[in-house]
Amino acid sequence: MATIQWFPGHMAKAKKQVQENLHLVDIVLEIVDARLPLSSRNPILDQIIQQKPRLMILNKADLADPTLNNAWINYFKQHDLPAISIDSQHNHNVQQIEKQAQVILADKIARQQARGIKNKPIRAICIGIPNVGKSTILNRLVKRNIAITGNHPGVTKKQQWLKAGKRLELLDTPGILWPKFEDVLVGKKLALTGAIKDSLFHADDVALYELAFFKQYFPERLQKRYSLTIDDLKLNDPDLLMKLTAGFGLREDYERASERLILDCRKGKLGRYTLDQIDEATHD
Ligand code: G4P
């Protein structure tokens, strides 16, 4: 899906639209990118949804570090946010969504049953920033391809409920929130994973962040992928970028070399990774 350019007017409309839809649902499915469980959230959601039950869904788990997927799930659970990780592209764990929704709403369902109301559908909405996989999840759950026409901010249309499981019904229009642009580091993380438009950042800034990240957490992957020596890994980030640029045969075209590094990372050529670290959350 094309990334949206967000303007203050869009943001206000999107917020209002999400607020209006909340009244219609029993539970919110907050979708984040498992590589960015914090940076791909929009804190405004907490303000908007308040006490509404919520399931955090770490999507694209296939691209993220498996150990950190579990660590982040535990982190959210410790903060009273039930969470699961899924890979909606390959349909892995997607069926957990309905099961978990039933667990979260168990008290409400029990109260309904006590009043003689049986098998009332659970109504849900997917909410998240662009590109986290809202449409892919929706299509997986409803088991057919739905053209999500309302999938940009501020566009309203007649909404429908889609059967998304035995008891689950999904609103056909996902709630779209804007990514957090204010923090430079968050911006670089969003850019590296392809969550925001390439024109919003300088490729070399993002590539330098990428090199710093992989040098810190997975130096051996950089070494292997780009045939580097141990000494190369001791270079500072700009010098390493210069070395790689020369190695790619791109002379001094750091822009193109950076784009190539970013693409490798996005395509998984550097393996699975999670950019948000748990200790960053605890320092928030
Ligand atoms: P959105 O509605 O939240 O905006 O996201 P959408 O479903 O359009 O998904 C964005 C991209 O992410 C799509 O790639 C989609 O295939 C991919 N994607 C969604 N879920 C998963 C997942 O669990 N694992 C992986 N690996 N990929 C996933 P695309 O169509 O190629 O778009 P783009 O890459 O050109 O942006």
Side-chain angles (χ1 to χ4, degrees):
M1 198 194 98
T3 310
I4 299 151
Q5 196 76 49
W6 287 92
F7 302 107
H10 275 143
M11 295 186 182
K13 260 191 195 161
K15 184 177 168 194
K16 193 162 160 264
Q17 209 170 326
V18 169
Q19 264 166 334
E20 283 167 4
N21 285 336
L22 274 183
H23 299 294
L24 309 173
V25 302
D26 303 301
I27 186 166
V28 168
L29 308 177
E30 181 182 356
I31 320 293
V32 294
D33 184 323
R35 293 168 297 176
L36 306 164
L38 283 188
S39 303
S40 62
R41 297 185 80 189
N42 184 326
I44 196 107
L45 192 59
D46 283 345
Q47 271 177 38
I48 306 176
I49 81 172
Q50 296 183 8
Q51 300 309 314
K52 183 73 74 176
R54 161 167 36 173
L55 174 62
M56 291 284 306
I57 298 177
L58 280 62
N59 188 38
K60 308 198 187 186
D62 54 312
L63 303 176
D65 185 324
T67 312
L68 284 180
N69 283 342
N70 288 331
W72 276 112
I73 288 172
N74 288 334
Y75 169 86
F76 287 121
K77 284 184 179 163
Q78 278 162 15
H79 288 79
D80 292 327
L81 282 173
I84 55 170
S85 69
I86 68 168
D87 162 9
S88 62
Q89 193 168 58
H90 308 98
N91 210 3
H92 186 251
N93 232 16
V94 176
Q95 301 318 318
Q96 274 300 315
I97 295 176
E98 180 171 3
K99 291 201 183 94
Q100 291 301 319
Q102 286 187 354
V103 171
I104 294 167
L105 296 171
D107 287 351
K108 186 173 178 173
I109 294 170
R111 282 197 302 274
Q112 285 171 348
Q113 279 176 345
R115 296 195 342 253
I117 305 165
K118 290 214 174 92
N119 298 328
K120 193 165 182 254
I122 295 173
R123 293 194 148 174
I125 181 173
C126 293
I127 301 183
I129 67 168
N131 283 319
V132 288
K134 298 178 294 300
S135 320
T136 311
I137 293 171
L138 200 138
N139 283 319
R140 283 287 177 209
L141 284 172
V142 303
K143 297 198 172 75
R144 62 196 156 103
N145 271 348
I146 307 287
I148 299 167
T149 45
N151 201 5
H152 35 95
V155 173
T156 39
K157 64 168 188 119
K158 195 172 177 326
Q159 292 168 324
Q160 292 178 34
W161 293 103
L162 302 169
K163 192 164 165 49
K166 266 198 186 133
R167 294 192 55 184
L168 189 66
E169 286 187 2
L170 263 189
L171 202 60
D172 66 344
T173 323
I176 308 173
L177 294 172
W178 53 98
K180 295 180 281 184
F181 292 114
E182 308 82 33
D183 182 325
V184 178
L185 178 61
V186 171
K188 287 179 191 169
K189 290 177 175 182
L190 290 165
L192 185 57
T193 56
I196 57 176
K197 252 200 179 117
D198 286 353
S199 58
L200 287 174
F201 58 86
H202 293 293
D204 47 353
D205 284 342
V206 179
L208 287 172
Y209 163 69
E210 175 187 345
L211 291 177
F213 174 84
F214 280 94
K215 257 168 52 180
Q216 182 174 355
Y217 294 102
F218 305 107
E220 71 292 349
R221 295 189 191 171
L222 277 184
Q223 210 181 337
K224 191 158 174 249
R225 171 83 192 158
Y226 303 114
S227 312
L228 298 171
T229 64
I230 299 279
D231 280 342
D232 291 336
L233 290 174
K234 291 182 189 146
L235 293 171
N236 65 33
D237 303 330
D239 285 346
L240 182 56
L241 179 60
M242 281 166 73
K243 164 123 197 144
L244 288 165
T245 307
F248 294 157
L250 291 171
R251 294 170 182 268
E252 291 182 0
D253 194 345
Y254 304 119
E255 185 81 13
R256 270 185 65 201
S258 298
E259 283 164 9
R260 183 158 159 182
L261 288 168
I262 294 168
L263 209 63
D264 277 357
C265 186
R266 285 185 192 161
K267 286 191 164 165
K269 297 274 165 40
L270 290 169
R272 298 169 68 169
Y273 58 91
T274 299
L275 298 177
D276 286 340
Q277 306 298 314
I278 302 273
D279 57 354
E280 292 170 340
T282 36
H283 292 151
D284 257 3

